[in-house]
């Protein structure tokens, strides 16, 4: 892509606050964007070949939405965690194994998508995020869900298509968790904490494609309580 095309995109972005350049084979984050650190509210560089997010990302202090789906990122810079206004972060289809240590400082974050990466556990940093609504960790290599998950503030947690065989009973203590997706994992029925059914806020539990028949779920203690929540929620949205 020529400089003139990039220049045109930059001029538009200066007016709109949105910089979108997807599917252009970019191998690096456009350095020229730093001229717009105070203008940009949205950056979308999905479907490129970007391997590294530079430290200058931390300078976009008004950024609300950042999308880098389907790139070649293996790590994220600590500077990313300075984006105090960031509400939406989409990083699906990269090669990320972990999140920066200071990730919990993204205090405005509401939506986080990390589907199709190489995470092996639910990142503990997520527990510090107070405004988180939706977390998508599907299609990773997560094998267990640790105790720290009990502090997660999310309303929806998607763990579909991982390798989960163990879940901490603390998950039933999540204060706002309504939707828990665990489809296509490696769960035995005995490894599913019954407190999810009997003693949690969860009103939609999706567990198809594990190592047990769905109808066996109905035999568990607390299933009736779960169904009460399920039905009440369904009525609300009907």
């Amino acid at each position: 892509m020529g400089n003139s095309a990039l220049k045109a995109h930059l001029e538009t972005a200066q007016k709109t606050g949105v910089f979108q350049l997807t599917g252009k084979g970019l191998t690096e984050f456009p350095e020229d964007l730093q001229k717009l650190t105070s203008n940009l509210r949205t950056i979308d560089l999905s479907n490129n070949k970007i391997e590294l997010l530079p430290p200058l990302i931390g300078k976009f202090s008004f950024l609300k939405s950042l999308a880098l789906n389907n790139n070649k990122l293996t790590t994220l810079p600590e500077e990313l965690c300075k984006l105090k206004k960031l509400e939406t972060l989409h990083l699906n289809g990269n090669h990320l194994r972990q999140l920066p240590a200071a990730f919990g400082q993204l205090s405005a974050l509401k939506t986080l998508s990390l589907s199709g990466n190489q995470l092996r556990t639910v990142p503990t940093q997520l527990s510090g995020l107070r405004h988180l609504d939706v977390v998508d960790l599907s299609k990773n290599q997560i094998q267990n869900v640790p105790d720290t998950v009990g502090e997660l503030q999310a309303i929806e947690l998607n763990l579909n298509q991982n390798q989960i065989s163990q879940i901490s009973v603390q998950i039933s203590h999540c204060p706002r968790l309504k939707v828990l997706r665990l489809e296509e994992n490696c769960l035995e029925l005995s490894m599913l904490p019954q407190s999810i059914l009997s003693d949690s806020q969860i009103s939609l539990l999706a567990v198809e494609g594990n190592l047990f028949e769905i109808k066996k779920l109905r035999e568990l203690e607390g299933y009736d309580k779960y169904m009460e929540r399920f039905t009440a929620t369904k009525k609300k949205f009907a």
Side-chain angles (χ1 to χ4, degrees):
M1 191 184 66
N3 275 345
S4 57
L6 182 59
K7 204 173 162 197
H9 274 281
L10 289 169
E11 281 171 13
T12 311
Q14 194 167 2
K15 295 185 191 109
T16 61
V18 177
F19 185 83
Q20 186 178 28
L21 202 57
T22 59
K24 295 286 186 221
L26 294 181
T27 52
E28 47 192 49
F29 187 89
E31 289 229 328
D32 287 349
L33 280 186
Q34 56 189 331
K35 298 171 190 161
L36 302 177
T37 47
S38 56
N39 302 68
L40 290 183
R41 304 292 186 269
T42 300
I43 296 176
D44 186 353
L45 294 165
S46 297
N47 304 313
N48 283 293
K49 296 173 180 169
I50 298 167
E51 292 180 20
L52 219 55
L53 200 51
L56 71 89
I57 192 68
K59 295 181 178 162
F60 292 88
S61 44
F62 297 99
L63 200 63
K64 282 191 162 182
S65 174
L66 175 61
L68 286 154
N69 296 326
N70 305 317
N71 276 280
K72 296 179 184 271
L73 299 171
T74 51
T75 58
L76 298 171
E78 288 289 338
E79 286 80 2
L80 177 70
C81 308
K82 293 180 181 167
L83 302 178
K84 294 286 184 251
K85 289 193 161 45
L86 194 67
E87 293 178 7
T88 308
L89 180 57
H90 291 293
L91 295 163
N92 301 325
N94 281 282
H95 308 291
L96 298 168
R97 290 172 184 270
Q98 57 193 45
L99 298 179
F103 198 83
Q105 291 173 12
L106 290 171
S107 49
L109 202 61
K110 290 180 180 172
T111 303
L112 174 63
S113 299
L114 286 160
S115 180
N117 279 280
Q118 293 168 18
L119 299 171
R120 292 181 177 273
T121 184
V122 176
T124 53
Q125 296 95 314
L126 302 186
S127 298
L129 298 167
R130 293 279 160 253
H131 298 287
L132 213 49
D133 288 336
V134 179
V135 181
D136 186 353
L137 300 174
S138 61
K139 299 181 187 171
N140 277 278
Q141 296 161 17
I142 298 169
Q143 295 176 4
N144 64 1
V145 180
D147 287 349
T148 45
V149 77
E151 293 161 42
L152 191 68
Q153 299 289 323
I155 295 168
E156 176 169 345
L157 176 59
N158 185 342
L159 292 165
N160 288 347
Q161 293 177 301
N162 277 282
Q163 298 154 20
I164 296 167
S165 59
Q166 281 186 308
I167 300 179
S168 166
V169 66
Q170 296 296 326
I171 198 160
S172 51
H173 296 163
C174 290
R176 299 167 68 213
L177 191 62
K178 298 272 195 291
V179 178
L180 177 58
R181 301 187 187 279
L182 286 162
E183 294 180 13
E184 294 179 51
N185 277 284
C186 308
L187 282 167
E188 303 270 359
L189 190 58
S190 59
M191 298 314 278
L192 191 70
Q194 294 203 4
S195 54
I196 290 178
L197 299 172
S198 60
D199 194 25
S200 77
Q201 303 289 318
I202 295 166
S203 56
L204 178 62
L205 175 65
V207 285
E208 285 79 4
N210 279 280
L211 307 179
F212 59 87
E213 290 178 53
I214 286 297
K215 61 175 187 243
K216 295 273 191 233
L217 192 65
R218 298 179 199 136
E219 294 163 19
L220 290 185
E221 204 174 322
Y223 186 77
D224 295 348
K225 274 189 167 175
Y226 162 70
M227 280 314 289
E228 280 172 25
R229 295 192 303 272
F230 177 81
T231 312
T233 309
K234 234 179 158 173
K235 279 191 185 131
K236 226 190 296 184
F237 293 117

